[in-house]
């Protein structure tokens, strides 16, 4: 069990050297760290510095380094302080990806950082912001069309790297002389793009998450407006541009899916011939797989939406010299439904109709109640008369009661009708 790998905190048979917090840009997960044969390979080490600056160094002293260790590495001149981000066999694969050959002479790792090294590093780092503000003023005094976006001091404070942004070429020879006299350090100028500047500054994107260029993106691929056209995105510069004033990098994320889906659409140049006329390609929904045709080339007339399969069927029929009766079959006409508009379903006078129906219902209720009362009164009278004329046969009594009820109901209806007419005359405006 001596050759068995264990977690650094103990308790298992796998190592956790490849695991780390993914809170640093350009962080790489060491997925080969669990293999026993990759544990002793410590010749080359990947070291990362401030922001996105990263380098590969030779561990000539065979130091037991792990991911996250702070080391002092060789620099020109002096030494620099960085953090180990990758060790083991995966370093050679990363070097191959960066087109770095192992035959090239690499700089060495001196040692793990000491407290004295960290004190110099923290002191040099504390001067970066003040140096950036002062260097911007110097560049403005020299009338240079450039913007200094960031300053990075070397770990020992002997050199400073000035990152600047410019639209064209800048002659900063005079600027280097003035900066060297002002800060008494070795000056190095490095031009970056707008996307690199946004990645260094950071921020929150319109999606609500931290900017991709500030978290995980390792390289920047050019984005063109054709990407937006493929995805049928509105060509609005304010929506397409990110915080760097360039086209959003996320436009490239789904372009492959749209390009693949575009291949399953009929050509825009092919017109469909039917018995009703000729239809021309107008627009398409790439992901749904439906195409909209118009009977006019320039404007949308007689809009008809069909599936791509139906479009290819009609194209094949036209090649055979056949013409269908119409574009869409009966089954597809039932499948595609127009969107339901809740406001469109009801008329604007629907509330007035409700009031009228309520008024009619109220009148009908009053009529029924009056008829019921009249029926009760007539029934009472009939009972009294029946008691006084008990000698009359029951059959004649019932017939007389029915006639009286009908007469009273007719009288009540006539009275209610006259009453409503009088009320309507009173409500009419003078």
């Amino acid at each position: 069990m001596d050759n068995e790998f264990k977690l650094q905190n103990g308790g298992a048979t796998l190592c956790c050297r490849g695991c780390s917090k993914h809170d640093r840009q350009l962080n790489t997960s060491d997925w080969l760290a669990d293999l026993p044969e990759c544990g002793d390979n410590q010749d080359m080490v990947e070291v990362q510095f401030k922001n996105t600056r990263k380098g590969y160094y030779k561990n000539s002293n065979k130091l037991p380094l792990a991911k996250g260790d702070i080391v002092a590495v060789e620099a020109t001149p002096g030494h620099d302080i960085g953090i180990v981000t990758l060790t083991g066999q995966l370093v050679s694969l990363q070097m191959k990806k960066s087109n770095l050959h192992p035959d090239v002479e690499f700089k060495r790792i001196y040692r793990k950082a000491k407290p004295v090294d960290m004190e110099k590093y923290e002191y040099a780092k504390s001067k970066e912001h003040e140096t950036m503000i002062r260097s911007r003023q110097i560049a403005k005094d020299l009338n240079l069309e450039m913007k200094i976006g960031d300053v990075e001091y070397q770990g020992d404070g002997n050199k400073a790297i000035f990152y600047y942004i410019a639209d064209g070429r800048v002659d900063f020879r005079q600027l280097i002389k003035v900066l060297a006299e002002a800060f008494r350090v070795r000056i190095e100028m490095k031009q970056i793009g707008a996307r690199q500047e946004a990645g260094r500054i950071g921020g929150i994107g319109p999606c609500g998450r931290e900017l991709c260029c500030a978290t995980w993106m390792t390289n920047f691929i050019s984005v063109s407006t054709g990407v937006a056209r493929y995805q049928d995105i509105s060509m609005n510069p304010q929506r397409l541009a990110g915080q760097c004033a360039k086209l959003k990098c996320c436009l490239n994320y789904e372009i492959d899916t749209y390009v693949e889906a575009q291949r399953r659409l009929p050509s825009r140049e092919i017109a469909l011939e039917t018995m009703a006329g000729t239809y021309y390609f107008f627009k398409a929904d790439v992901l749904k797989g439906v195409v909209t045709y118009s009977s006019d080339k320039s404007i949308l007339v007689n809009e008809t939406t069909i599936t791509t399969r139906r479009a290819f069927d009609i194209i094949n029929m036209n090649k055979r010299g056949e013409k269908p009766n119409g574009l869409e079959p009966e089954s597809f006409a039932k499948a595609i439904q127009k969107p339901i508009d809740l406001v469109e379903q009801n008329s604007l006078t629907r509330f007035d109709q409700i009031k009228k129906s309520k008024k009619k219902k109220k009148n009908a209720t009053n009529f029924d109640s009056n008829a019921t009362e009249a029926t009760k009164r007539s029934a009472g009278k009939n009972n009294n008369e029946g008691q006084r004329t008990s000698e009359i046969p029951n059959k004649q009594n019932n017939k007389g009661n029915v006639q009286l009820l009908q007469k009273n109901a007719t009288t009540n209806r006539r009275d209610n009708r006259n009453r409503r007419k009088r009320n309507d005359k009173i409500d009419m405006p003078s």
Side-chain angles (χ1 to χ4, degrees):
M1 300 297 290
D2 296 336
N3 297 328
E4 188 175 357
F5 272 62
K6 295 183 179 181
L7 288 171
Q8 293 181 358
N9 57 357
T13 59
L14 294 176
C15 69
C16 61
R17 292 180 299 170
C19 303
S20 63
K21 291 177 63 178
H22 290 266
D23 57 353
R24 293 186 60 86
Q25 194 176 5
L26 303 182
N27 185 48
T28 304
S29 178
D30 191 0
W31 51 275
L32 292 177
D34 293 337
L35 301 179
E37 58 269 18
C38 299
D40 299 330
N41 192 355
Q42 296 278 337
D43 293 338
M44 298 301 298
V45 178
E46 183 185 76
V47 181
Q48 182 174 331
F49 304 94
K50 181 183 177 182
N51 297 323
T52 59
R53 190 164 64 94
K54 181 183 290 187
Y56 298 92
Y57 294 85
K58 190 173 183 179
N59 187 10
S60 57
N61 296 328
K62 301 296 180 181
L63 299 173
L65 299 177
K67 198 171 185 178
D69 290 342
I70 302 176
V71 293
V73 299
E74 182 182 359
T76 306
H79 69 273
D80 203 353
I81 302 296
I83 300 176
V84 176
T85 55
L86 201 60
T87 60
Q89 187 67 26
L90 194 60
V91 178
S92 60
L93 299 178
Q94 290 291 100
M95 292 172 59
K96 186 177 180 180
K97 179 182 177 182
S98 303
N99 295 325
L100 296 176
H101 299 283
D103 299 336
V104 180
E105 184 177 356
F106 291 92
K107 295 180 180 180
R108 298 177 296 121
I109 295 179
Y110 288 145
R111 59 186 178 275
K112 289 186 178 181
K114 298 179 180 180
V116 178
D117 299 328
M118 295 303 299
E119 290 178 3
K120 291 182 180 180
Y121 174 71
E122 295 294 339
Y123 175 73
K125 191 176 180 180
S126 63
K127 298 189 299 181
E128 291 177 352
H129 182 72
E130 181 183 355
T131 303
M132 180 184 66
I133 300 300
R134 188 176 175 186
S135 62
R136 286 181 178 177
Q137 186 62 38
I138 294 173
K140 184 178 179 181
D141 295 340
L142 295 176
N143 297 323
L144 297 177
E145 296 182 357
M146 59 181 295
K147 174 189 175 183
I148 298 178
D150 196 6
V151 177
E152 179 184 356
Y153 270 94
Q154 195 171 271
D156 56 0
N158 293 330
K159 186 176 75 171
I161 303 175
F162 290 80
Y163 298 93
Y164 71 94
I165 304 168
D167 295 333
R169 296 180 62 87
V170 179
D171 185 7
F172 45 76
R173 289 176 293 182
Q174 183 64 27
L175 176 64
I176 292 178
K177 294 180 182 179
V178 177
L179 294 177
E181 293 176 359
F183 303 113
R184 301 292 180 180
V185 292
R186 186 172 179 177
I187 305 299
E188 180 181 346
M189 305 296 296
K190 186 174 290 187
Q191 186 175 2
I192 60 175
R195 288 188 172 91
Q196 285 83 351
E197 183 193 21
R200 292 174 182 276
I201 297 174
I204 304 298
C207 59
R209 302 184 64 180
E210 193 175 356
L211 296 179
C212 298
C213 55
T215 51
W216 61 269
M217 290 187 68
T218 58
N219 54 357
F220 297 94
I221 303 173
S222 61
V223 185
S224 62
T225 55
V227 175
R229 292 192 183 96
Y230 265 107
Q231 303 179 45
D232 291 334
I233 300 176
S234 176
M235 303 301 292
N236 187 352
Q238 295 181 352
R239 287 180 173 269
L240 296 180
Q243 296 187 5
C244 58
K246 302 292 183 181
L247 292 177
K248 295 179 181 178
C249 297
C250 54
L251 292 175
N252 282 335
Y253 294 168
E254 299 178 355
I255 184 60
D256 294 336
T257 303
Y258 278 89
V259 170
E260 183 67 24
Q262 286 277 6
R263 297 174 182 175
R264 296 191 289 269
L265 294 179
S267 175
R268 296 173 178 266
E269 307 298 330
I270 300 178
L272 303 184
E273 300 288 343
T274 63
M275 300 297 292
T278 305
Y279 288 85
Y280 303 93
F281 188 98
F282 189 79
K283 65 179 181 178
D285 192 325
V286 181
L287 299 182
K288 286 186 178 180
V290 295
V291 189
T292 302
Y293 284 89
S294 172
S295 59
D296 191 278
K297 283 186 177 181
S298 56
I299 59 176
L300 185 61
V301 180
N302 297 329
E303 175 186 0
T304 306
T305 303
I306 59 176
T307 61
T308 56
R309 178 176 294 181
R310 175 63 177 172
F312 282 115
D313 291 342
I314 297 176
I315 292 174
N316 295 330
M317 292 175 65
N318 294 155
K319 289 180 179 180
R320 296 192 300 266
E322 302 175 1
K323 293 183 180 180
N325 294 329
L327 286 184
E328 58 182 26
E330 296 180 358
S331 59
F332 188 72
K334 297 179 180 179
I336 295 182
Q337 299 179 356
K338 291 185 178 180
I340 299 174
D341 190 351
L342 298 178
V343 179
E344 188 181 14
Q345 288 179 340
N346 300 320
S347 63
L348 296 177
T349 60
R350 59 188 183 277
F351 299 108
D352 300 336
Q353 294 175 359
I354 293 175
K355 291 182 179 179
K356 290 182 180 179
S357 62
K358 286 183 178 180
K359 187 175 181 180
K360 292 180 180 179
K361 186 176 181 180
K362 184 177 180 181
N363 293 332
T365 304
N366 293 334
F367 174 74
D368 294 339
S369 61
N370 293 333
T372 304
E373 292 178 358
T375 304
K376 290 180 179 179
R377 288 196 299 269
S378 61
K381 291 179 181 179
N382 291 333
N383 290 334
N384 296 331
E385 292 176 356
Q387 291 176 1
R388 289 194 300 268
T389 57
S390 56
E391 67 277 2
I392 300 176
N394 293 332
K395 186 174 181 180
Q396 294 179 357
N397 244 343
N398 293 335
K399 184 176 180 180
N401 292 335
V402 170
Q403 292 177 355
L404 184 61
L405 286 174
Q406 292 177 351
K407 183 178 180 180
N408 292 335
T410 303
T411 305
N412 290 331
R413 285 197 296 270
R414 184 170 58 252
D415 293 342
N416 289 330
R417 185 164 53 253
N418 295 333
R419 191 185 301 109
R420 287 198 301 270
K421 288 182 180 180
R422 288 195 300 271
N423 292 336
D424 293 339
K425 290 181 180 180
I426 295 172
D427 294 338
M428 292 179 59
S430 59

